[in-house]
Amino acid sequence: MKTDIARRKFMGKLAAVLAYAGLGPLRLSAQARTRQGSAAAASTPDPKKVDYDKLIKLANNENPYGPPEGVMKAMNDAWKYGNRYAAPDGGLVDAVAEHHHVKPENVLIGCGSSEILKIVDDAFLPDHKLVVGVDPTYETVYRFATNSKAKAIAIPLTKTYDANMKEIIRVTKLNARDVGVVYICNPNNPTGRIVPKDEIKLLLDSIPGDIPVFIDEAYHHFVDDPNYEPSVKYVIEGRKVIIARTFSKIAALAGMRLGYAIAPKEIIDQLRSFVMAYNTNTIVKFGGVASLKDTANEAKTKQLNKQIRDRVTTELKAMGYEVIPSQANFFMVNVKKDVTAVGEEFLKKGFIVGRKFPPMNEWLRVSVGADEEMKGFMKAFKELFPVQPPAQTKAGD
């Protein structure tokens, strides 16, 4: 009887928080997140129905330039280990540790950063625990949580499309006993907005120190805003912080699946027990080591991304369309109609564009492609959308 009463109190408190956040229980249900997962899969059309190689791919925030020559050579030279399980890996863990000025014990390699998200869920979000974050964001972590019967409390973005840090802190403290992890995607996907360094510090200083904070920095390489900084320093300080990084974006290894976590040793040890044996590709590990050393290519890719992104978003704004200022390799534009139908129209013109991110149903997320690809995108956009009266962008630069 006491257990049943306690459960009713817990669910009542959760319902109150969900109501506060402006989200009904169904919005955060497993079924809802599964539908969003299906939408994510739909970003790439069925290869049986289209000629994938001929499509311009602006949907999944990939690097349009592909792996650089040095990375390709490192992987090709590693084919001799393709028939072995416990083969050398080029010293990837040591290379990552050195790159971030941490110890190897602070590093865990994953099959893309998606595996890191999954094992964080396995470790910290058992049945009825809570993950606190924003909405919309990279909702895979919420989908993993609901699949494991945990619950998600997603705080709506502010009117400037930013994380409402004060409310994240308030809700976390209100539910401190039940929160398994706080999730921050920085820069945020799909908006491209950063969480400033002062707000990350405020979060860590304000919530109980035993609550893990999971910071997904998949797009941090593209940021040039001085108000942003990577959060690895908090791991070095011994805070209960988990950083996720990936080689899928600026390193152009999305299809090779390589990512990693940086966290205090005790957290890495806890996460390691959930990692599948031989979870990562031997060959791509050598590519990862080479990529970490190739700072010139990283800088070039960042420069091209910013140059092309800023040109395209300026042109869209000149047409009267609101664009959210982005610090990533993608941006969102308000097309003023349902994004699903818009995606179908772009596909007819040979472009794969981003899926829908409820509740921002009329905001199209566009990955930044190469120069000619984005010129083609703008040509298609002008054919599909009329010039509008000038719009005032809500988010700050």
Side-chain angles (χ1 to χ4, degrees), residues 63 65 68-69 71 99 250 290-304:
N63 183 327
Y65 308 108
E69 183 178 344
V71 173
H99 184 75
I250 206 161
S291 178
L292 289 173
K293 297 176 181 177
D294 195 349
T295 55
N297 184 73
E298 179 180 309
K300 179 181 178 181
T301 301
K302 178 179 179 178
Q303 180 184 15
L304 284 170

Side-chain angles (χ1 to χ4, degrees), residues 24 34-35 90 93 98 122 198 206 226 229 260 265 301 307 338:
T34 299
R35 287 195 295 271
V93 169
E98 182 180 356
D122 292 337
D198 292 345
S206 299
E229 71 176 1
Y260 57 91
K265 180 181 183 302
T301 301
Q307 175 185 326
D338 188 271

Side-chain angles (χ1 to χ4, degrees), residues 184-318:
I184 303 292
C185 186
N186 193 22
N188 188 39
N189 179 14
T191 60
R193 302 289 287 163
I194 66 163
V195 179
K197 56 189 176 183
D198 292 345
E199 293 193 11
I200 294 291
K201 185 177 186 302
L202 178 66
L203 170 66
L204 296 174
D205 289 345
S206 299
I207 66 173
D210 61 342
I211 297 178
V213 176
F214 183 20
I215 305 176
D216 185 345
E217 295 184 346
Y219 302 98
H220 85 102
H221 296 93
F222 298 100
V223 180
D224 57 12
D225 189 325
N227 290 316
Y228 174 91
E229 71 176 1
S231 294
V232 175
K233 71 176 188 178
Y234 295 114
V235 174
I236 297 173
E237 290 177 7
R239 305 260 199 150
K240 206 164 186 179
V241 171
I242 308 161
I243 310 297
R245 293 285 182 89
T246 182
F247 289 91
S248 295
K249 308 305 177 182
I250 206 161
L253 293 172
M256 297 298 291
R257 313 308 304 129
L258 184 65
Y260 57 91
I262 303 171
K265 180 181 183 302
E266 59 271 20
I267 290 182
I268 293 295
D269 290 344
Q270 186 174 355
L271 295 177
R272 197 182 305 279
S273 63
F274 294 96
V275 175
M276 185 174 65
Y278 309 118
N279 64 325
T280 48
N281 182 319
T282 293
I283 293 167
V284 76
K285 291 177 182 178
F286 285 84
V289 174
S291 178
L292 289 173
K293 297 176 181 177
D294 195 349
T295 55
N297 184 73
E298 179 180 309
K300 179 181 178 181
T301 301
K302 178 179 179 178
Q303 180 184 15
L304 284 170
N305 175 77
K306 175 176 171 54
Q307 175 185 326
I308 297 169
R309 182 195 67 207
D310 291 354
R311 185 194 73 216
V312 173
T313 55
T314 297
E315 193 170 353
L316 289 168
K317 287 186 285 186

